[in-house]
Structures are given as C-alpha cells and as structure tokens.
Amino acid sequence: MDDSTARRVLGIGASATREQARAAYKRRAKILHPDRHATTSDAARRDAERAMAELNEAWRALRSDTVPTANRGEPTDDHRAARPSRPRGCEICGHHPAVWIDIRSLTALVILHSTDRYAATLCKNCGTAIWRDVQARTLTLGWWGIPALFVNLAVLVNNCGYGVALRELAPPTTRVAGSPAPMSEPMALTKPVTARVLPWVATLSVVAAIVLVVLAAAWAQA
Ligand SMILES: [Zn+2]
C-alpha cells in the first residue's frame, strides 16, 4: 500500500507523526473491529473484515516511515481529522447526518481500572449501536473498585450527554458522495441497554452492596 493511500485509510494528513498515525489507527480499529459487527448481516461483517484488514495494512505501511516525534503545540492533522470543521458523513458507513461522539467504558478491578475510549463522527445507527455496547460494558465492568466507582459515575454522565446527541440526530439518509467510509450501509441497531441482563445485575448488586454497608454502619453506631 502506498503512502498516500495508507494516510487516506487512517484519515491523517501528510505531516502526521508516528504517534498521530498510531492514535488514528487505534481509534479506527475500535469502531471497525469485526467483533463489533458480528451481529449484523454477512455482507456487513465481510465489509468490516475487509476494512480492518485495510486498516492493519495502512498502519504496517506507515509505522516505519512516519516521523516519530510529535510537533507539540501546533494543531495536528490527526486532530483535524478527528474533529473535522466541515460536515462529513459517518466514519463507518459514510451516511449523513453524523455527529461527533467521544464515549468511554471502564474496566475495574479493586484498586485498578482501565478506560477504553471510542471517539468518532458517526450517524445515528452506527453511533447508537456502539453507544449501547459501550454503555452496557461500563455498567457491567466499571463498578468493581474503589476509585473506579466514582470514575464510572463520571464516565456514565459523559456517555449520557452523547447519548442525548445521538437520540436527537435525524436517521441516516444518503451516503456522502466520495466518502472513504468502509461500510456501505449503516449498522443494525443492537439491543437497548435497559433490555440487557448483565448491566442490571452488576449495577443493582453494587447499589445493594452500598445500601448494606450504609445500614451496617448505621447499626454499628446505634
Ligand atoms: Zn453510520
């Protein structure tokens, strides 16, 4: 794959550094990973597999050729690519209207936690499908630690803000002409978060545990 094709696939400009190429690769890999499209049609899954293979090839082509250090202070090509000033279509299916979302999920274990970030310009369908999976994941895995309990609340509030933006967005209509997005159709909608079992079980368990601790403390003081 030649240099300019690889940069177009990653959505970065000619002066992007290796760190910016890596960040663009990781950001796109999260939204295009075939696992995320496993419940959609065979054609959509094949599109996702092809898109992921192309993305991997683009990163392999650029990782050794790009300048390693970031030119801090100046606005970067990846930054512009990540938050475009002019409207364009969904990064997954190329349809418009599309909106920028920047959501997170937390995985917590006692005193440790790690965050996964999903940031992209997406149409209502692709955005909602990803939003639901990410929100369900953080409601299930994000509670299980002491700093994490509070971080997860902040993560949920942040995600809800983007959830509102997606709800208010009109459904995808047509594909933007010349869009480089890898899928031809918007993603199929996944199950709503409130219809999933694990987020409820995890969240209600944590609430029950907090109530028990508060009651035990009150009882011990009485
Ligand atoms: Zn889309």
Side-chain angles (χ1 to χ4, degrees):
M1 185 180 285
D2 66 58
D3 192 81
S4 68
T5 309
R7 286 172 189 276
R8 184 184 55 76
V9 169
L10 289 177
I12 56 173
S15 63
T17 62
R18 191 182 303 158
E19 282 93 340
Q20 288 156 0
R22 184 200 299 275
Y25 167 72
K26 286 172 79 174
R27 192 177 69 78
R28 287 189 171 225
K30 282 207 172 125
I31 58 168
L32 291 175
H33 197 282
D35 286 355
R36 193 158 290 295
H37 302 268
T39 55
T40 53
S41 67
D42 285 352
R45 202 169 51 246
R46 276 197 300 275
D47 278 351
E49 282 165 4
R50 199 185 55 234
M52 195 65 212
E54 196 181 41
L55 194 66
N56 286 332
E57 197 185 331
W59 171 232
R60 268 199 303 275
L62 283 180
R63 64 191 303 173
S64 51
D65 292 345
T66 39
V67 185
T69 47
N71 49 344
R72 297 184 196 287
E74 290 172 37
T76 62
D77 286 322
D78 182 49
H79 185 75
R80 279 197 291 272
R83 297 202 73 161
S85 55
R86 63 191 166 79
R88 58 171 189 173
C90 172
E91 286 182 56
I92 293 178
C93 71
H95 284 60
H96 75 102
V99 69
W100 169 259
I101 65 166
D102 188 351
I103 57 177
R104 289 164 172 79
S105 76
L106 205 67
T107 304
L109 189 66
V110 194
I111 56 163
L112 303 174
H113 60 263
S114 66
T115 312
D116 271 321
R117 181 179 175 212
Y118 301 81
T121 301
L122 298 173
C123 72
K124 189 185 185 82
N125 284 39
C126 299
T128 303
I130 288 178
W131 186 91
R132 286 174 174 177
D133 288 350
V134 171
Q135 190 78 335
R137 186 179 159 84
T138 204
L139 279 167
T140 306
L141 300 176
W143 298 119
W144 308 104
I146 280 299
L149 190 65
F150 302 101
V151 180
N152 206 31
L153 284 173
V155 163
L156 289 166
V157 169
N158 169 73
N159 292 356
C160 280
Y162 290 102
V164 170
L166 284 166
R167 203 161 51 232
E168 288 173 351
L169 188 68
T173 51
T174 48
R175 195 174 153 93
V176 176
S179 165
M183 316 279 280
S184 52
E185 292 297 326
M187 287 171 71
L189 284 184
T190 47
K191 239 191 206 181
V193 178
T194 49
R196 303 184 191 202
V197 176
L198 285 177
W200 279 112
V201 171
T203 305
L204 292 177
S205 304
V206 168
V207 170
I210 291 170
V211 168
L212 279 177
V213 167
V214 169
L215 285 178
W219 180 79
Q221 286 199 337

